[in-house]
Each structure stands twice: as structure tokens, then as C-alpha cells.
Amino acid sequence: MHIAEGVLSGPVMATGFAVAAVGVGIGLKKLDFEHIAETGILSATFFVASLVHVPIGPANVHLILNGIIGLLLGWTAFPAIAVALLLQAVFFQFGGLTSLGANTVIMALPAVICYYLFAPLIRKQGKVSAVAAFACGFLAVFFGTILLAGALYFSNENFFEVASIAASAHIPIMIIEGFITLFCVGFLKKVKPEMLR
Amino acid sequence: MTEPPASAPLLSLKGLSFNYPERPAIINQLDFVLNEKAHIGIAAPNGSGKSTLFHLIVGLLKPSAGKIIYNGREISKEEDFKLLRRQVGLLFQHADDQLFFPTVLEDVAFGPLNLGKSKAEARALSLKVLENLGLSDFADRITFKLSGGEKRLVALATVLAMEPKVLLLDEPTAGLDHATKHKLIDLLNSFKDLSYLMVSHEFDFLTETTEHIYTMENGKILVDEELHIHHHEHAHRSGKQPHRHI
Amino acid sequence: MTEPPASAPLLSLKGLSFNYPERPAIINQLDFVLNEKAHIGIAAPNGSGKSTLFHLIVGLLKPSAGKIIYNGREISKEEDFKLLRRQVGLLFQHADDQLFFPTVLEDVAFGPLNLGKSKAEARALSLKVLENLGLSDFADRITFKLSGGEKRLVALATVLAMEPKVLLLDEPTAGLDHATKHKLIDLLNSFKDLSYLMVSHEFDFLTETTEHIYTMENGKILVDEELHIHHHEHAHRSGKQPHRHI
Amino acid sequence: MIQESFSSGRSPIHSLAPRTRTLAAIILSLVVALSHNLIALVTALLIAVILVISARISLLKAGRRLLVIAGFLLLIWLILPFTCGGEILWQNSFLSISRIGVDLALELTLKTCAMLLIFLTLVSTMSTADLAHALHSLKLPPKLVLLLLITYRYLFLMEDELQSLLKAAKIRNFRPGTSLHCYKTYANLLGMLFVRAADRAQRVHKAMLCRAFDGHFHSLEEYHNRPRDYYFLALIVAISALIVLAETQAITWPHIF
Ligand SMILES: Nc1ncnc2c1ncn2[C@@H]1O[C@H](COP(=O)(O)OP(=O)(O)OP(=O)(O)O)[C@@H](O)[C@H]1O
Ligand SMILES: Nc1ncnc2c1ncn2[C@@H]1O[C@H](COP(=O)(O)OP(=O)(O)OP(=O)(O)O)[C@@H](O)[C@H]1O
Ligand SMILES: [Mg+2]
Ligand SMILES: [Mg+2]
């Protein structure tokens, strides 16, 4: 879920950088020395995990996992995702310098929103937790998709159809991310519940 | 350490070669035969390609040249390897890399479930394997919280639950204490009907569990230069009391 | 293996106790004294609390009871531990945990820089330490591309760059081959002016590098039950040619 | 799987200081991103190709990297010409091709390719460690730079762990498919990866404490610009000015269709 270089207009690019800067700023402020290693290593883990192909029907999709990132990192998701995206650009030419701001916001803002919406519910027991976990994974991608489509549309109104196709292509991913988040949260609650802040 | 009865070759490697991308060959024209019920040790330096060899055998890496023959049949396509992997179990160098379910029982049952067993069957089989390894109490423990030695034994259980004919064991003793090593020795010695090929840096352990110890050099297994046994010093607590060695 | 000249106690542990939250005590009323220039080995089962003990000594975990006395001074506050950690260097059980920078030189220089050395001083010191360990060529190598043995040596370099008086070595040989072990033995034997306390499951290695080998049981170091040395079998390739042992 | 494919080369570009390359990439990317004019963009693409050649990256390899955006460009060309409205270039009873749509698709294609190649030659030709140090000297927050360094350091380790876990699943006859069993397996596998990452992080943090770290990041790198760095930056600024000129001098879209 990222926008290629050269697609965004100046104002959208600038807005992306501004929001990303605020998010990264808050994240860095909350990132104390105790958690630098943890954030870095988790950031590396998300980068790597997002390379996993999961089959759906005849196709394969990459995982996004920003719901879980939010649950594990809160605001620190912003710097962690910014760093991971920069590395994806360096290694695979996914995105680049000018789209880095917008791409960070597309993934990190939903992560933070879902953290506030669902982290308290996920700590509960039974069905509530399970439903919240699914919703967290589903909605993190959903919000990201809305942001992505918005960034395209506000860059150039002619991108409307492109944006809607990109958005609908993400619907199956939302469902998969919902299930993956559901099971993954189940795993974490059993094995290391203190990781879910 | 007597010679086993002459028996049929179960697994043969012929002219096997492999290199990681943009690296020189790490396995180079390697020939090797593992007979039925044979127990072979390999002791070789770090980086000589032992783990790589094991991964080649079960098809996790693809050789650049050479043949893998199992039970008289050449294995080359992924479909063949899928069948091979049911019979040839690999114990990873790091047990941590092999366990990824929250509880021990789930982890052990994963293989049998993938082989198409029903939940009840998989569960029964897993419990039996755990019992055989003396791990009955562990079924509901969280794998991640087990000690290094316990993880190793559980990893072995996950392999045994696939009911393999051949075991490939990659440094099963690294970081294990004496008691756990002894347990492993006893276990391995009870696997009379299995063949195994085992890598270890510890000669003492290999002499107690294998019939031959070979080494690797320049990407080949040196079968003709077998390692010899002789005496040297060894430190031991309460050396006067009866005790065993590893 | 002769007794070193009687010397002053450098580090003493008195009645040290520790337990992980909601677990029984893993270190229990432990007493121990490490003298200046003493070289002590500890061989004890998995999970007996060796790594925990090392982490307690350098203040990474806080004891529930007991005292740590270094150089005649009781260490209790975090500020004291910060000073202690400059003199007591810990080699972690896993080298990957200890090397957190992409390049070797940067990693080695990290400690000196944190101690307030200038860039030039830190660089010069790091290069010297690397040279002493025979790692001069490694300065610009990428850490994650090193082999296991190389990582271990670089981790040792990062510790030595802090210019410690005492080394705590947590299973420095696990997974290393013979050649690298020998290199480590030679290195340790050259550290005559340092004290060190070393955990290993390998007796042979301990006998070559330490004066005493103790064990741990029930959360205590058993100083009175020293481990003894005697003979046993050992497998070796080309046993007739001259060779060394570990 | 993850590889720094371009950082080990030798070329005039590789011999520039990382900070110079980073700055040049930022300036050029921004200028190109904000251009719309065909001449400006063709110039940019030409410059990008010249950069690729002077970095001694084989055109084949660079071309392969362009495949990353091939899907996106295909989508653009399949949609924009038919949906944009405005002046019509060609039509039949089902479809009409709009001039704005074709122009836009062409603009995006040129821009995206140029920017990708610029990034490839100027940024992907350094090791990430160098990039981090360059960003440090460009006054990015030290904490962010440290985060980048740590992330990069552990990337390969975590990838190894992931690959091992995937292999472990494979040897136990796991076959990916569209099923809950499959998703559950992946989720557990990732959960294990996260748990181990957190565990490792705890130990790494302790190791940092042992080396007297207190949160202040001191870099060992010192940057000295050499003359060639100044010349290169001057060149990049001149080229950028040229592109801006082409853009603002109202050299109108020469319609190619
Ligand atoms: N994924 C990889 N990519 C590139 N090189 C690799 C990879 N894995 C291993 N190597 C290299 O291949 C060589 C052989 O590795 P391998 O793990 O097979 O050695 P080993 O004999 O098992 O060593 P050890 O005793 O340390 O386990 C080493 O030099 C290693 O650095
Ligand atoms: N963070 C932790 N939380 C809870 N228990 C722990 C933690 N770390 C270790 N333990 C437990 O404490 C015990 C002692 O662990 P420790 O790592 O000190 O043992 P060790 O003697 O170093 O073992 P090994 O030989 O395997 O390295 C083990 O049972 C371990 O499971
Ligand atoms: Mg190996
Ligand atoms: Mg330990």
C-alpha cells in the first residue's frame, strides 16, 4: 500500500510531509531510550513480515500489518514506519523520497487511530477481544486505503477511477489482515501479553 | 561402535553442488550414501556447509548440479520433495526457528495435520510422541517459555510426529548441559530403526551416538578419512564417583 | 593450572538472591569472591541461572537481597553500576545481541564514544583493539555478514574497547569450531592482567583457560566442590599427527 | 532476499560523499516531482539515464527495477485515456480517448521512471549505514538516525529468522492456500517473530547499557567534502534550474498526438 514517486501533486506532498513530521515528532518524543532498541527491531520485523506472500484464491498478496504495528508501538509507529518505508525504497524502489511523507501517513495514521480505538478492547477477554482484533486489522487497512485514495484524488481529479480501483483491490486484503490480526493477537495474548500495550 | 549389518542404501547424493547467489560453491561435487539404519556423524568447521547440505537434502535449497536419490528414486521436482520430507525429518540448528505455535501440543500436531490426519488422530499421535520423549507434562506449556534444552526436545518431537525414516540432526547439542545431552544420547541410541545423519562439533557426543564420523572439506564429505578415537584429558566434578561421559 | 599468587578480592557477591517475577528464586543466597587476575570457570546445567547471575553483577537485573562489592565498595545505586560497567565487561551469550551497528568499527567505537572520548580517540582505540584480536581487516565489514565465530570475536572487541578490568564471558564457545576455539583459548591466555569469570558447558575449554572450575546448584556457586580432571576418550581425525586439544 | 544490489559498485557516483548524493537526490526528485512540462520531463529522464550510466549500473539491471512500477503504469494507461474527458483524440461507439488522459499518463510515465532512476543511482548506490550518516549530517533527529541504523542492522537477522520459520513450516508439509488454517499458521509464525523480536530487543537494550549508552547518539563519521562533491552539487543545481526553466518558461506542451 504505497504511492509511487511522481504521482502526488505539490500540495498533497507537502501535506503528507507536514502530517508525517508531526507524527514522527510525537513518536520520537514518546520514544525513550528504553525503547529505541525495541522499536528498531520491531520496525525491522514489520519490514520483513510485510514481504510474506499470503495466498487468496489464485493470487498472492503482501501483508501490511499496520494494525498490529499500532497495537505494539502506539505513536512510535510513525517513526518506525517512516524508517521501514525508507528502507523499502532503498532496497526495492517501492516509493521514494518525495512520496515518503504521504506514504508514512497512509500507513501510520491508521495504525495510531486503531491503537486508540482497539487497544483497550483487545486487553479484554473472549469475544470482545477477538472482534476488536479483527476490526483493528481490517480497519487499519481500510483507513489506509481511504487515505491513499484521497491522496490520489486530491493530487488530480482525473485519478478518481484509478483511486477507486486501487481501493477496491484492497478489500480482500482487509479481510485477510483482519484474520491475521485476530490470530496474531491471540498468539501474543497467550505467549507474551505484555507486548500489547 | 561395531559395524552395522550391511544394508541397502536409503539416501544417496551424487555429484551434488550448490552455491549461494554470487558466492563460490559451498557444496562441490559431493557424493555420499546413507544406508538403512546407519548412524553417521559429521564434524566440520563453521561455515563448511553442513547446514546448507541438510537444507539441500530436504529440498529447502535447490542444488545447481547433482542428484538426490531416495529409496532408489531420483528426487528432483518439488512434488517429490514433498513426499521425501514426510520420510526425512530435519532438526534445525536452532530449535527456536522450528517452533511457532503457542503451545507444545499445537506445535507437534501441526505436521500430522498437514499430512491430512484428523484432529483426533493428530492429537493422539502427538501425545504419544511426547510421551515417548518423556515430555508428557509439556503438552500445554508455552513453547516460547521453555528452556533451551526443552525446546530442542520439543523440536525433535515435532519432527518425530511426522514418523520419518531418516533424521538429519544439525548440532543437536549446542548449548545443552550434560544431563540433557545424556538424555539425547539415550534417545538417539533407542532409535535403532531410524537412520540418522548428525552434525556436531562435539566428538565425544558423536562417538556415543554414531558408527562413523566423517568430516567436510572443500564442499565434500570425506568418507575415506574417518576420524579416530584416542585419549585426552577431561575435567569432571567428583571424578571418583561413578559417572558417564559425553 | 597452578594457583595464582594470593591477591586482593576484586569483586565479591554476598548473600545475593534473585527471582524473576512470580517465579521461585533462581539465585539464592549466593556468595562468591573473584580475586584480581583470577580466571574462574563455571559449568552448570541449563537454566541454573548463570546468565542471570552475570546480568545481576553488572546491574542489568536488580537482586532481591544481597550485596555486590567491587573494589571494596558496595554497589547499589544505578549510578554506581554505571561506573562498575566500565570496569566489568560482559560478553553476552548471543553475539548478535551485542552488535547493534551495521559496521564493525562503528560498533567497537560506540562504547568509547559513550565514555566521552573524542571521535579520533575512539577510532584509534577501536582500531588498536581490533588489531590486538587480529581483526584489523574487519573494521569496515558489515556486522551481519560475519560468521558466527567472527561475530563472537568482534563482540569481544566491543567489550575490550571499554578497557575493562574484569570480563564476564557467557558461553563464549557455543557453536564454534575447533580453530576458532583455539584462537579464543590463546586470546584468553594472553589476558593475564584481567580477571575473568566464564560460563561454558565444555570442560576441556575451561581447563585450558581457567584455574578453577566451579558449578552452580540451587542458586549457589559451589566453591568447595571443585571439578576434577581425568582421562577419557576423544575422537580425532588423523590422530597420529601432532595436534592440539580443546 | 533482501539485498543491497547497487552499493558495492565503483564509479564516479560511488566516489561521491553520501551526503552529496543524498542532497542531490532530494533536490532533483523535488524538482522533477513538481514538473509537468513534457520537455522538462524528457530532460529529467535523459539526466536520469546519464546518471545510471555514470554510476556504471547496467541498463538491464536498472530496467529490471523499472518493472516495480510496470503494474502501476499499466493501470494508468488502461484507465486515464478513457476516463478523463475533455478534448477527444479518437473515438468509436464504445470508447473515447481523451487528450488530457493521454498527456497525463505520459507525464506520469516519464516522471515516475525518471524519479525511480534518480533514486536508484543516487540513493541505492550507498549502503544504508552511509545513508543514515548522511541524514545525520543533514540534521535529521539523531534518534531517528539511530532507529534507522538499528532497523537496518536487524533487518537481515529478522529475515533469516522469518525464512527459517517458513522453512520449518514447509518441512512439516505446510502448503499455503486460501484457508483459515493457512492464515492461522502465518499469524502464529508472525506472532512468534514479533515475540522473538521483542525478546531480542530486551537483550540488545541491556547490551547498550553495558556500553555506557544513555540515549545520546554520537556518530563516528566525519564528513569532509572534496572538490568533486561541490562540483557535482553545482552541476545538479544547474540541471535543476534548467528543468525549472523549461517548466516555467511556458514552453507549451508540444502535442505529440
Ligand atoms: N542465506 C545465505 N546467503 C549467503 N551465504 C550464506 C547463506 N547461508 C549461509 N551462507 C554462507 O554459506 C557458508 C556455509 O554456511 P552453513 O550454515 O551451511 O555452514 P555450517 O557448516 O552449518 O556452519 P556452522 O557450523 O556455523 O553452523 C557460510 O560461509 C555462510 O556464511
Ligand atoms: N526474563 C525472564 N523471565 C522469566 N524467567 C526467565 C527470564 N529469563 C530467564 N528466565 C528463567 O530463569 C532461569 C535461569 O535462566 P538463565 O538464562 O540465567 O540460565 P542459564 O544458566 O544461563 O542457562 P543456559 O545454560 O541455557 O544459558 C531459566 O529457567 C529461565 O527460563
Ligand atoms: Mg550450521
Ligand atoms: Mg545462559
Side-chain angles (χ1 to χ4, degrees), chain C residues 55 58 60-61 85 90 92 96-102 105-111 113-115 119 122-123 143-144 151 158 162, chain D residues 4 127 129 133 146 149-150 152-154 156-157 200 203-214 216-222:
Chain C
H55 287 202
V58 293
L60 297 173
L61 295 169
R85 281 186 216 125
L90 170 58
F92 279 56
D96 269 316
D97 296 337
Q98 200 156 11
L99 303 173
F100 34 76
F101 278 99
L105 183 63
E106 206 177 15
D107 218 315
V108 180
F110 178 71
L113 283 173
N114 287 332
L115 293 180
K119 285 187 188 189
R123 173 183 284 272
T143 341
F144 58 77
K151 275 186 193 158
T158 68
M162 309 275 293
Chain D
E4 289 182 293
S127 82
H133 293 126
L146 186 61
L149 283 170
I150 296 173
Y152 171 61
R153 159 68 177 94
Y154 285 101
F156 299 89
L157 210 75
R200 182 181 295 281
R203 298 193 300 265
V204 169
H205 175 69
K206 283 181 173 175
M208 290 177 151
L209 278 175
C210 281
R211 287 209 270 148
F213 186 51
D214 56 3
H216 295 286
F217 170 54
H218 314 272
S219 169
L220 192 61
E221 298 300 316
E222 282 171 292

Side-chain angles (χ1 to χ4, degrees), chain D residues 36-48:
Chain D
H36 303 284
N37 178 293
L38 182 66
I39 293 183
L41 290 175
V42 169
T43 315
L45 188 57
L46 271 177
I47 300 294

Side-chain angles (χ1 to χ4, degrees), chain B residues 96-107:
Chain B
D96 273 327
D97 290 336
Q98 201 154 8
L99 304 172
F100 48 84
F101 278 91
T103 63
V104 170
L105 185 62
E106 278 173 282
D107 222 317

Side-chain angles (χ1 to χ4, degrees), chain B residues 145-148 175, chain C residues 20-21 23 26 44-53 93 170-171 201, chain D residues 202:
Chain B
K145 293 188 181 160
L146 300 177
S147 78
Chain C
Y20 287 102
R23 293 285 207 93
I26 193 85
N46 293 126
S48 51
K50 306 177 297 291
S51 302
T52 304
L53 175 64
Q93 188 161 1
D170 200 349
E171 297 194 32
H201 293 300
Chain D
Q202 223 172 31

Side-chain angles (χ1 to χ4, degrees), chain B residues 3 25 33 41 43 49 65 94 98 106 115 146 148 152-153 164 177 216-217 233 238:
Chain B
E3 201 75 358
V33 176
H94 303 284
Q98 201 154 8
E106 278 173 282
L115 292 180
L146 300 177
R152 182 83 55 177
L153 292 175
D177 60 27
M216 276 182 81
E217 227 173 75
E233 287 191 338
S238 41

